[in-house]
Amino acid sequence: MTGEPAALPLLQMALRVEQDIFVIRQRGREVAAVVGLEHQDQVRIATALSEVARDLLQTTGGADVSFHIDAGADSRFHLRADLAPVTPLPDGRYQPQSGAVSRLVDTLSVSTVEGVTVVRMSRRVPASAPTPTPERLAEFRTELGRTVASSALDELTVQNGQLIAALDEVRSQRDELAETNRGVLALYNELTEELEETNRGVVALYAELDEKSAQLRAASESKSRFLANVSHELRAPVTAIIGLARLLTDSASDPLTDEQSRQVDLIRSSAADLLGLVNELLDLAKAESGRIEPELADVDLRSVFGQLRGTMRALATRPEVKLVVEEPTAPALLSSDEVLLGQVLRNLLHNGLKFTERGEVRLQARQHGDRWNFEVSDTGPGIAPELHDRIFEEFYQVPGATRVGGTGLGLPYARRLVTLLGGTLELSSESGRGSTFTVSLPTGGA
Ligand code: ADP
């Protein structure tokens, strides 16, 4: 289809005098309308034509103007206007007076066609316009031939009309913009309100949270107080029971029958268990209520470990279980509370010995940067990972095989103490694979 529809111009006219500019403008618009350019584009190409025509009239004394339809490389049609100057362009070049002209059309260039230099402009015909078949082009030509060029005054009237229409459009665009602005403002206000609402909600939630945590703190304090009081009150009578039972079985007392002495022993061992529980409760309550204040001093781990080796040996009663307290590498010094640290390690070793049936229970200390890590590991039954948090809860004991006496208060107490010492107590263990409790303390103290 290239070239073929363009063979014959749609319209030809001459630019020689000032008045021709108006006519070219008017006819240019008509051609644009006939080939299907939209209203805005008709005005644009007409304006560009009149500007270029004015320039050429001044510089070359006129031009021959022709309009064509081309099929472009984009398989769309283009309206093309060629203005062939009657005398050569100065330097063979053309530069519009107004820079805006080139923006009114798709292309504006100087081309040489068969030895003739022309100023050429084009504008794309919308896809919605009817395809310019040769028949349609013939119709266009007839239609354009029918319309007669009117006077400059008529063209001025038309131009005025276009100007008013353009102004109207600008005004309606401005109104539209104002409308949009109002919309945006309303949306903004709405969002701000919503944000404030959310903020108020969050503030209320925080207040409620504060209140709840205060209640929780109060509840925890009364629990500690209750435990401390009860255990304190219980200690005296339980100690008395143990003393009395001992008296009853004393050789200086009246002899008891075998059954009686068995029962008195039972009373005594039950009371001793009770006293153990009461003491542990009291310890925990003290630690929780902040009444334990660590006394920091230089601690020589080798001496602590030496003492532990001695005291724990008495508890390591199973021949199948070896207790190993490794000698810490010298110098093994840290700033901590020796009594509390001893209590924690004793507690962990005691558990290890209590729950391990064969293998070993081992204590070792290693320094890592500014921390000392104490590892108490055993080859006992291990603890399933999902219970690792629970065993640090008060009174929790793993159900089943590992339930051998005890109160379930040892680990929560140990963790409390370690926290007071500025450290952490962690567990790594799996069922059937032994357990390793790690106490990590800052070398410089809490
Ligand atoms: P207690 O030893 O008095 O029962 P703890 O608080 O010291 O209380 O321990 C809680 C529970 O954690 C124990 O009852 C036991 O089920 C489990 N546990 C603690 N240490 C070990 C260990 N070394 N190996 C296996 N289970 C353990």
Side-chain angles (χ1 to χ4, degrees):
M1 60 181 155
T2 14
E4 212 253 309
L8 215 74
L10 286 175
L11 186 69
Q12 273 178 309
M13 50 206 311
L15 164 70
R16 297 293 183 274
V17 291
E18 182 83 23
Q19 242 181 353
D20 292 341
I21 299 173
F22 292 108
V23 182
I24 287 170
R25 186 181 202 286
Q26 187 202 26
R27 303 245 59 195
R29 190 163 40 78
E30 283 167 8
V31 176
V34 163
V35 302
L37 253 66
E38 278 162 6
H39 181 73
Q40 293 282 343
D41 282 349
Q42 295 168 22
V43 176
R44 282 195 185 100
I45 197 161
T47 309
L49 267 170
S50 74
E51 286 296 307
V52 176
R54 191 181 310 282
D55 290 346
L56 291 183
L57 197 61
Q58 272 172 18
T59 53
T60 65
D64 290 325
V65 184
S66 57
F67 293 94
H68 311 257
I69 282 278
D70 286 339
D74 54 359
S75 63
R76 294 276 298 277
F77 291 95
H78 297 255
L79 171 62
R80 163 165 64 90
D82 282 350
L83 295 91
V86 286
T87 60
L89 283 164
D91 302 332
R93 293 199 307 185
Y94 168 65
Q95 181 69 42
Q97 294 266 311
S98 156
V101 171
S102 59
R103 268 186 267 134
L104 296 172
V105 285
D106 293 332
T107 66
L108 175 65
S109 61
V110 175
S111 311
T112 305
V113 188
E114 290 162 10
V116 184
T117 304
V118 297
V119 177
R120 170 172 287 183
M121 65 177 75
S122 74
R123 183 87 200 171
R124 203 156 61 164
V125 178
S128 54
T131 309
T133 55
E135 297 78 50
R136 274 210 67 83
L137 288 173
E139 274 173 35
F140 288 170
R141 275 183 211 106
T142 333
E143 208 174 322
L144 289 167
R146 265 205 302 274
T147 50
V148 187
S150 43
S151 72
L153 197 66
D154 290 344
E155 179 58 13
L156 204 64
T157 317
V158 173
Q159 269 195 47
N160 263 348
Q162 288 166 359
L163 202 63
I164 290 168
L167 275 175
D168 261 357
E169 197 167 317
V170 168
R171 193 172 308 131
S172 81
Q173 274 179 6
R174 200 190 49 205
D175 289 351
E176 224 169 79
L177 204 68
E179 188 66 30
T180 315
N181 268 354
R182 267 197 296 280
V184 169
L185 208 68
L187 199 70
Y188 175 78
N189 283 340
E190 208 172 293
L191 279 176
T192 314
E193 233 166 74
E194 220 170 279
L195 205 69
E196 274 171 17
E197 186 81 13
T198 315
N199 269 355
R200 274 196 295 276
V202 170
V203 169
L205 215 62
Y206 265 110
E208 204 173 309
L209 219 61
D210 278 352
E211 198 181 313
K212 286 273 181 295
S213 58
Q215 283 172 1
L216 222 61
R217 236 186 345 265
S220 156
E221 274 163 20
S222 16
K223 183 199 75 178
S224 295
R225 224 178 6 257
F226 170 79
L227 285 181
N229 290 343
V230 168
S231 37
H232 190 76
E233 293 306 318
L234 272 175
R235 221 156 38 153
V238 174
T239 317
I241 291 171
I242 295 172
L244 287 172
R246 194 173 292 127
L247 259 182
L248 278 175
T249 50
D250 197 273
S251 52
S253 308
D254 288 340
L256 301 175
T257 63
D258 283 352
E259 182 55 21
Q260 280 171 335
S261 87
R262 209 182 55 80
Q263 283 171 0
V264 171
D265 278 345
L266 214 60
I267 292 173
R268 205 173 56 186
S269 77
S270 303
D273 283 350
L274 194 58
L275 188 61
L277 171 66
V278 166
N279 282 337
E280 281 190 32
L281 268 178
L282 202 58
D283 285 342
L284 189 64
K286 259 210 280 191
E288 278 189 352
S289 64
R291 258 176 284 160
I292 294 182
E293 286 210 0
E295 286 177 21
L296 297 187
D298 278 347
V299 177
D300 181 356
L301 289 181
R302 278 168 307 171
S303 109
V304 176
F305 277 32
Q307 279 174 21
L308 281 172
R309 220 174 269 124
T311 51
M312 297 316 291
R313 193 167 297 138
L315 294 172
T317 46
R318 287 197 185 105
E320 306 85 8
V321 179
K322 207 163 110 195
L323 172 69
V324 185
V325 177
E326 283 186 14
E327 185 69 11
T329 45
L333 286 178
L334 84 153
S335 171
S336 197
D337 185 313
E338 187 169 333
V339 178
L340 299 187
L341 175 60
Q343 254 180 313
V344 170
L345 296 177
R346 209 173 306 121
N347 194 315
L348 297 175
L349 286 169
H350 190 189
N351 274 353
L353 291 169
K354 207 160 53 169
F355 298 112
T356 307
E357 293 190 325
R358 66 183 56 81
E360 65 168 32
V361 176
R362 179 180 289 269
L363 166 64
Q364 59 186 31
R366 298 250 188 286
Q367 192 165 16
H368 290 281
D370 57 355
R371 298 188 83 80
W372 271 97
N373 287 352
F374 302 87
E375 273 184 24
V376 178
S377 49
D378 63 52
T379 53
I383 299 161
E386 63 272 19
L387 298 178
H388 286 193
D389 285 335
R390 295 221 61 191
I391 57 160
F392 288 98
E393 287 171 14
E394 289 150 33
F395 300 109
Y396 185 81
Q397 295 181 300
V398 177
T402 62
R403 200 153 179 181
V404 275
T407 57
L409 288 171
L411 287 178
Y413 178 56
R415 189 172 253 181
R416 277 264 158 205
L417 292 188
V418 172
T419 309
L420 283 177
L421 293 174
T424 54
L425 170 54
E426 300 300 337
L427 161 65
S428 110
S429 177
E430 276 175 51
S431 274
R433 299 214 163 172
S435 313
T436 300
F437 288 86
T438 307
V439 176
S440 174
L441 293 182
T443 306

